[in-house]
Amino acid sequence: MKYETVIGLEVHLQLSTNTKIFCGCANKFGEAPNTLTCPVCLGLPGSLPVVNKKVLEYGIKIGSALNCKINSFVKFDRKNYFYPDCPKDYQISQFDFPIAYDGFVTIPMDDNGEKKITIHRAHLEEDAGKLIHDAQANCSLVDYNRTGTPLVEIVSDPDLRSPQEAYDYLQVLKLTLQYLNVSDCDMEKGSLRCDANISIREQGDTKLGTKTELKNMNSFKAVKVALEYEENRQRQVVEAGDRVVQETRLWDDAKNMTLVMRSKEEAHDYRYFPEPDLVPFIQDEKIIEEIRQSIPELPAQKLERVIKEYQISEYDAKIIIQDACLAGFFENCTKYYKDTKKICNWMNGALLQEINSRKTTITDITLKPEDFSLLIKKVEEGLISNLAGKDVLKFMLDTGKSADVLIEEKGLAQVSDDGALKEIIQQVISENEKVVQQIKEGKDSAAGFLVGQAMKKSKGKANPKKVGELIRQILKGDS
Amino acid sequence: MKLNALTAHEILDLIKDKQTTPQAVLDEVQQHIKQSDKDVHAYVRLAKNSNISDVSVDQNAIPIPIGIKDNICIKGEETTCCSKLLTGFKPPYNATVIEKLKASGAMFVGHTNMDEFAFGSSTENSFYGVTHNPWNLECVPGGSSGGSAAAVAANEAIWAIGSDTGGSIRQPASFCGVVGLKPTYGRVSRYGLIAFASSLDQIGPLTKDVTDSALLLNILAGHDSKDSTSVDQPVPDYTKALTKDVKNLKIGVPKEYFVEGMDAEVKASVMQSIEVLKQCGAQFVDVSLPHTEYAVATYYIIATAEASSNLARFDSVQYGLRQNPAQKRKTTLVDMYEESRSVGFGEEAKRRIMLGTYSLSSGYYDAYYLKGLKVRTLIKNDFDKAFESVDAIITPTSPTTAFKIGARAKNPLDMYLSDIYTISANLSGIPGISIPCGFSKEGLPIGLQILAKPFDEEMLFRIAYTFEQNTEWHKKKVGF
């Protein structure tokens, strides 16, 4: 029997506002426990929430970028459940009026086509605190620093048909969100979290099968692997003649499998009702429009534009747009050097290698686009060798000095002077008579060996192109 | 007359004339409490340090000793809502009204008794035991702000602050023969008021006369950026509304309020009061509030639903009583929650949490909570419509005078009906005041309720002041 897999994803994104969603506490990661708290985010008796306007702005931005409709009626609700990480024992969330709804993102398909994944809704809510279970002390501790961190939950329709599509969807979503600069989207730090709903059904069936909900995946790859595991598990259950049970399962990264967390019977009744401490209000359409207008160019648009505008390959363009800052760096470079293909080669090759090996980012390095462009120009004009160019780049990143200064300081300028080169070449020719003979017999490729020898003698400073030309010239003159 | 038996405006005049000092007034109040609170039990905790105020007493200061209901947070002072569960809870912050009182120079006498979490109409549901009505110690003072009303009536405070969710300021004011005001929802900040039902709660003054009520509201009212439900509307000087003039005002009398179950003496007093105001030039017309009969049911759906959620935070994790299960095998988190809340909450709190949880539950939400919200809108519409043709509405505050301690404790529904005339003002958000308007044959006070449009507290003060100036009821003092 052929099965079809049906997947929907829920993504929780921590917003990088300066302050928390309902109080003035700093919204930061990694501080000493319980130092970023106040009566409001501790849920102390008598305290009241006040909505952070920046959070609304970010919500509208995200909704708009995901092609959603925006609810101008802003309303919050209470989701009631008891847990020590939730100091009020209810979470302020949005139930029937999410800030954004009915949107889509487009994911790439194998056949070079595209697929639209519907965004069901995106709503605002507060994050919970963090529990630390201390087995030695036989107790659990609560850190309320995270309590009240603004979250947006982005819920897709069950439009995804494979773990790979789910993975691609997450990639596209993450990139879009990164462009908006509303979150650092770091799954390891927990600023982006993903739960997955998955079911299988017979190919051609229109009714959804019984789903399970997967939690505790700590990377995009884990999401994919967990979904693959679950897809298989459900298939085996069905093929054994059993029924899939509706339940929540936890992904165990070490064991590489999903394990039951709670069944449907144990599912919570959250008793949602309108948050009476926050009066609903109508957001001015003009403000919504202003926020919409403030959205930067998004990855899909940028990809299309840079390919057209700079005549570069889709492959190169895709690397460049992976990071809005990288793309910005590229575009700045084109102002100083016209060969866009060469800029791509240098950026996607040497520069990214350096950045990655230094575990830094394009925004954290001091390299200026004009200096980087100048370096490429020097190499392409033959002033320095390709190899020396890569060294200069390293020095530039280390010292922040310009290419000019470094070439001078390190004496890296190529020797292109005919007289000096001819002297070296004559030496090489006299030391390698056999090879010279081969070349004369027509084995032109052997000339490369001589070039290499000449380079060695010049300690890398000789211009290899020039050396090649001169060797041929000299040998031709001899014959 | 003793200083503690005076009104605030009388005391302020004396201070101004240098005939007394704020400290002398406070001393006399504290001295009096020592003698009389053994019988009344208005306070659950007396302040060790009364100087909630930082300001030195200057020309503009209003240094009045004030009792604060035990559900309003004072920094560093134990605040428990008269619940065992909150034993030992010392808020690390002041409620906004406390900040305002501090700035005005007020002196904190102590936290006053109340029904646990403001659940009740008699102050019998307090973990600390009942407060006695100063007019008859065998009777309840009303509730839930019974301690505040009794403290003012027994001259154990010059002023007191209460909170009103369904009548919890006005009904005890009526039972104790003092003036109690529930301002418009959003007029006074709720920040620091431990919530019962967030969409209904409002803090307000309990005072000896109408002038003091206006003075105290002047201090309490105003927008607060910490409370999203407080309304950014200018605060008038309410004492300017104290004019002896109701000429040509149109006052409505809702026919639905004068029904069976109403005490004959209460009815007679209200009718007499109407005559007084008529003689002052007010015109009376019949108005109809057709959805009145659904008010109590609607109130108990909405108030308990919100309460069930508001009280969830009392889980003994961060603060308050923590009770670990007696049996050793029970050690899970849920066991701790259950044990602490079972031991910590009183009967009425448990009843309301269960009611509210039920009406919010999946499958029941539409039939109860959602329907409740709809009826609430209808009740509000009733008032909007009535206020199209009248300036104010007059009703009794409560259908009866203070009842005997224990008389209704066994029957919650009976108890709920004691707020039948006050609940609608909370559901519709309008302001209401209760003023003394007579006494029963047994010598128990009767209260008159005046209701007005949202943010028209000035209308309440104008009518109440005119009535007060033309009657002697407020001058009748209890023997304390």
Side-chain angles (χ1 to χ4, degrees):
Chain A
M1 203 181 286
K2 279 204 96 179
Y3 294 102
E4 181 180 51
T5 304
V6 178
I7 298 167
L9 297 182
E10 291 168 13
V11 169
H12 282 91
L13 185 76
Q14 284 184 337
L15 302 178
S16 51
T17 48
N18 292 330
T19 54
K20 294 185 179 183
I21 184 168
F22 298 123
C23 65
C25 287
N27 176 25
K28 276 197 285 190
F29 180 80
E31 299 291 309
N34 296 311
T35 53
L36 306 175
T37 58
C38 73
V40 177
C41 59
L42 288 176
L44 292 187
S47 67
L48 295 169
V50 176
V51 179
N52 178 345
K53 291 225 170 75
K54 206 75 189 169
V55 172
L56 284 178
E57 182 191 318
Y58 281 14
I60 293 168
K61 250 189 189 170
I62 291 166
S64 302
L66 302 179
N67 307 295
C68 290
K69 293 172 185 143
I70 302 297
N71 258 321
S72 56
F73 182 66
V74 179
K75 177 187 173 241
F76 287 90
D77 301 272
R78 288 188 187 174
K79 177 180 179 178
N80 294 285
Y81 67 95
F82 278 88
Y83 210 62
D85 64 3
C86 180
K88 302 187 295 296
D89 290 298
Y90 59 79
Q91 178 194 32
I92 304 178
S93 181
Q94 292 188 305
F95 184 58
D96 48 359
F97 289 89
I99 188 83
Y101 62 102
D102 199 8
F104 66 88
V105 296
T106 310
I107 61 166
M109 297 298 280
D110 279 346
D111 57 3
N112 278 329
E114 288 179 334
K115 182 175 171 180
K116 264 188 190 179
I117 307 300
T118 301
I119 302 290
H120 181 63
R121 57 184 279 156
H123 65 258
L124 301 169
E125 59 189 26
E126 56 180 338
D127 207 346
K130 222 167 86 186
L131 287 178
I132 298 141
H133 303 288
D134 189 335
Q136 266 184 323
N138 192 26
C139 71
S140 294
L141 302 165
V142 199
D143 177 5
Y144 292 112
N145 280 356
R146 200 177 68 179
T147 311
T149 298
L151 289 180
V152 60
E153 180 176 339
I154 302 164
V155 184
S156 84
D157 267 355
D159 288 352
L160 302 157
R161 289 293 170 269
S162 69
Q164 181 62 45
E165 282 186 20
Y167 183 83
D168 292 341
Y169 164 81
L170 286 173
Q171 293 286 4
V172 171
L173 190 65
K174 180 179 169 184
L175 190 58
T176 306
L177 294 167
Q178 276 175 331
Y179 264 58
L180 295 176
N181 211 9
V182 292
S183 169
D184 59 8
C185 302
D186 189 336
M187 245 184 138
E188 274 172 34
K189 279 202 308 199
S191 56
L192 192 154
R193 310 195 280 269
C194 177
D195 299 338
N197 288 301
I198 176 170
S199 61
I200 58 167
R201 63 183 172 195
E202 235 176 274
Q203 195 91 49
D205 243 355
T206 48
K207 229 181 104 214
L208 288 170
T210 304
K211 66 173 180 185
T212 55
E213 188 183 0
L214 306 185
K215 286 179 178 289
N216 200 36
M217 291 84 76
N218 295 321
S219 66
F220 285 3
K221 203 170 152 254
V223 173
K224 192 177 160 207
V225 180
L227 283 168
E228 283 166 353
Y229 174 89
E230 188 60 17
E231 185 180 40
N232 251 317
R233 189 193 66 85
Q234 290 191 8
R235 196 168 296 172
Q236 280 167 20
V237 168
V238 172
E239 275 169 1
D242 286 337
R243 281 187 180 175
V244 173
V245 179
Q246 186 174 337
E247 60 197 2
T248 302
R249 301 177 69 91
L250 285 185
W251 172 248
D252 187 324
D253 228 359
K255 290 184 185 148
N256 258 305
M257 61 193 296
T258 62
L259 299 162
V260 181
M261 179 187 159
R262 62 170 174 252
S263 71
K264 189 191 175 190
E265 284 71 39
E266 297 168 82
H268 296 291
D269 176 359
Y270 289 117
R271 306 190 309 279
Y272 279 99
F273 77 106
E275 166 57 282
D277 287 331
L278 295 169
V279 185
F281 65 96
I282 310 262
Q283 178 80 269
D284 192 343
E285 289 289 347
K286 250 189 0 216
I287 293 173
I288 295 176
E289 196 45 43
E290 271 170 33
I291 297 169
R292 214 193 291 271
Q293 293 301 329
S294 76
I295 290 174
E297 184 183 36
L298 295 173
Q301 304 158 264
K302 196 178 284 270
L303 180 70
E304 202 175 309
R305 183 176 62 79
V306 295
I307 292 173
K308 223 170 116 188
E309 196 172 328
Y310 302 107
Q311 298 292 312
I312 57 173
S313 69
E314 190 176 338
Y315 175 83
D316 279 336
K318 272 189 175 161
I319 297 176
I320 284 167
I321 65 126
Q322 278 315 302
D323 179 337
C325 294
L326 203 63
F329 190 86
F330 166 77
E331 294 202 66
N332 275 328
C333 286
T334 63
K335 289 181 202 155
Y336 301 99
Y337 191 59
K338 292 296 157 217
D339 192 338
T340 52
K341 178 71 200 158
K342 288 274 166 8
I343 298 173
C344 282
N345 288 347
W346 273 86
M347 269 189 67
N348 298 347
L351 182 58
L352 282 184
Q353 250 171 41
E354 281 303 317
I355 286 175
N356 291 339
S357 73
R358 284 158 200 256
K359 294 193 166 56
T360 177
T361 64
I362 188 78
T363 38
D364 292 333
I365 58 173
T366 53
L367 187 67
K368 290 196 200 106
E370 50 263 50
D371 285 342
F372 184 61
S373 305
L374 185 72
L375 171 67
I376 300 170
K377 201 168 159 188
K378 299 259 181 215
V379 174
E380 295 309 323
E381 285 174 354
L383 190 69
I384 55 169
S385 69
N386 207 43
L387 211 65
K390 286 182 183 170
D391 282 338
V392 172
L393 179 60
K394 278 185 199 167
F395 293 136
M396 287 168 82
L397 291 169
D398 288 341
T399 63
K401 289 179 183 168
S402 74
D404 270 346
V405 171
L406 285 164
I407 291 168
E408 177 70 34
E409 268 181 25
K410 309 268 171 190
L412 288 170
Q414 289 194 125
V415 179
S416 302
D417 169 59
D418 279 11
L421 288 179
K422 272 181 184 165
E423 207 171 295
I424 297 170
I425 291 165
Q426 285 302 347
Q427 271 183 36
V428 171
I429 286 174
S430 61
E431 283 165 15
N432 295 283
E433 279 176 10
K434 264 190 200 165
V435 183
V436 171
Q437 196 56 42
Q438 285 173 351
I439 296 169
K440 285 184 175 167
E441 282 165 7
K443 197 179 171 191
D444 196 49
S445 60
F449 178 75
L450 294 185
V451 174
Q453 291 301 307
M455 291 303 293
K456 213 169 165 185
K457 265 201 192 323
S458 74
K459 293 190 176 108
K461 285 194 220 167
N463 180 338
K465 213 170 134 200
K466 195 93 189 183
V467 171
E469 276 166 23
L470 285 171
I471 288 175
R472 280 187 195 87
Q473 211 182 328
I474 291 165
L475 292 181
K476 225 179 254 169
D478 278 4
S479 60
Chain B
M1 205 185 285
K2 285 177 132 191
L3 288 168
N4 62 303
L6 300 176
T7 63
H9 59 89
E10 288 164 344
I11 290 168
L12 290 174
D13 285 345
L14 290 179
I15 293 174
K16 206 174 160 193
D17 295 346
K18 302 218 173 351
Q19 293 184 38
T20 188
T21 63
Q23 191 58 50
V25 180
L26 180 65
D27 287 348
E28 208 152 313
V29 166
Q30 287 172 333
Q31 206 52 47
H32 181 63
I33 289 171
K34 274 186 196 158
Q35 298 158 17
S36 70
D37 209 42
K38 293 192 290 280
D39 297 324
V40 179
H41 189 43
Y43 289 94
V44 291
R45 245 166 277 108
L46 292 174
K48 287 182 194 76
N49 176 12
S50 297
N51 297 319
I52 57 171
S53 171
D54 295 334
V55 292
S56 54
V57 180
D58 66 19
Q59 285 270 303
N60 301 315
I62 306 178
I64 298 299
I66 187 164
I68 306 287
K69 192 175 179 180
D70 196 30
N71 58 356
I72 294 171
C73 291
I74 301 180
K75 191 175 174 179
E77 294 280 343
E78 191 177 4
T79 306
T80 71
C81 293
C82 292
S83 174
K84 184 178 182 182
L85 195 45
L86 271 179
T87 303
F89 174 63
K90 289 182 179 169
Y93 64 101
N94 276 326
T96 296
V97 292
I98 297 299
E99 289 293 336
K100 282 171 176 277
L101 286 167
K102 245 177 98 165
S104 77
M107 295 176 285
F108 172 50
V109 180
H111 265 130
T112 57
N113 201 10
M114 59 185 280
D115 288 294
E116 183 185 12
F117 292 107
F119 297 156
S121 312
S122 65
T123 319
E124 289 168 291
N125 297 329
S126 165
F127 171 62
Y128 298 102
V130 70
T131 293
H132 299 262
N133 192 316
W135 294 91
N136 180 341
L137 294 175
E138 284 172 20
C139 289
V140 301
S144 63
S145 312
S148 287
V152 172
N155 298 318
E156 294 182 9
I158 309 302
W159 282 349
I161 299 283
S163 68
D164 190 315
T165 308
S168 279
I169 289 174
R170 291 160 288 159
Q171 185 257 22
S174 160
F175 280 17
C176 292
V178 298
V179 175
L181 170 76
K182 182 203 90 78
T184 309
Y185 185 77
R187 178 76 290 183
V188 176
S189 169
R190 292 187 297 114
Y191 190 83
L193 166 68
I194 301 178
F196 159 10
S198 313
S199 75
L200 303 162
D201 295 344
Q202 193 64 194
I203 292 172
L206 287 127
T207 56
K208 291 173 184 169
D209 68 3
V210 176
T211 303
D212 272 13
S213 188
L215 270 174
L216 186 45
L217 187 63
N218 272 352
I219 297 169
L220 303 178
H223 177 245
D224 179 12
S225 59
K226 287 185 197 155
D227 175 4
S228 306
T229 64
S230 82
V231 178
D232 195 358
Q233 188 148 327
V235 181
D237 178 355
Y238 290 110
T239 59
K240 296 231 165 82
L242 302 171
T243 55
K244 241 171 88 179
D245 169 27
V246 292
K247 259 183 218 92
N248 299 323
L249 284 186
K250 267 177 103 176
I251 299 174
V253 181
K255 57 174 189 238
E256 290 84 358
Y257 280 48
F258 293 85
V259 288
E260 238 182 290
M262 184 187 213
D263 190 297
E265 287 181 301
V266 170
K267 189 176 177 182
S269 282
V270 172
M271 289 309 175
Q272 255 173 32
S273 306
I274 290 173
E275 283 310 313
V276 170
L277 287 166
K278 265 187 194 165
Q279 277 162 24
C280 297
Q283 298 171 33
F284 278 82
V285 291
D286 284 343
V287 290
S288 175
L289 301 167
H291 296 93
T292 298
E293 61 172 310
Y294 305 111
V296 172
T298 303
Y299 173 82
Y300 277 95
I301 295 282
I302 291 171
T304 58
E306 290 182 14
S308 72
S309 175
N310 283 333
L311 269 62
R313 73 186 67 192
F314 305 119
D315 58 10
S316 81
V317 172
Q318 272 191 80
Y319 48 81
L321 176 94
R322 181 183 292 191
Q323 198 79 25
N324 283 313
Q327 299 111 302
K328 273 213 170 122
R329 60 184 178 82
K330 288 181 131 196
T331 52
T332 66
L333 177 67
V334 173
D335 293 327
M336 181 192 84
Y337 286 158
E338 278 181 6
E339 196 69 14
S340 302
R341 287 167 70 88
S342 297
V343 172
F345 283 133
E347 285 302 307
E348 186 62 20
K350 286 176 192 163
R351 182 179 297 119
R352 296 200 189 192
I353 290 168
M354 283 190 277
L355 270 172
T357 304
Y358 180 81
S359 64
L360 286 177
S361 295
S362 143
Y364 300 98
Y365 182 88
D366 289 1
Y368 294 105
Y369 186 74
L370 196 62
K371 187 163 274 177
L373 287 185
K374 288 176 183 166
V375 180
R376 181 177 186 174
T377 304
L378 294 176
I379 290 169
K380 189 175 179 300
N381 291 346
D382 281 357
F383 280 100
D384 287 347
K385 201 163 164 251
F387 283 125
E388 279 171 17
S389 55
V390 297
D391 300 300
I393 289 172
I394 274 185
T395 79
T397 305
S398 187
T400 66
T401 53
F403 43 87
K404 288 271 165 64
I405 291 168
R408 295 188 184 184
K410 294 280 182 301
N411 189 341
L413 278 181
D414 248 18
M415 188 73 92
Y416 295 175
L417 288 176
S418 120
D419 293 330
I420 190 162
Y421 299 138
T422 45
I423 274 170
S424 294
N426 301 79
L427 288 171
S428 53
I430 61 171
I433 195 168
S434 177
I435 53 173
C437 74
F439 285 84
S440 69
K441 276 192 225 97
E442 290 172 33
L444 288 167
I446 296 168
L448 179 74
Q449 178 177 237
I450 312 169
L451 303 169
K453 290 171 206 170
F455 296 99
D456 200 4
E457 280 81 359
E458 289 159 290
M459 180 61 69
L460 300 183
F461 287 133
R462 188 173 159 190
I463 297 169
Y465 185 73
T466 306
F467 180 81
E468 194 180 74
Q469 294 301 306
N470 286 283
T471 54
E472 298 287 311
W473 305 116
H474 65 290
K475 289 188 182 155
K476 193 161 172 189
K477 295 285 176 191
V478 73
F480 274 93

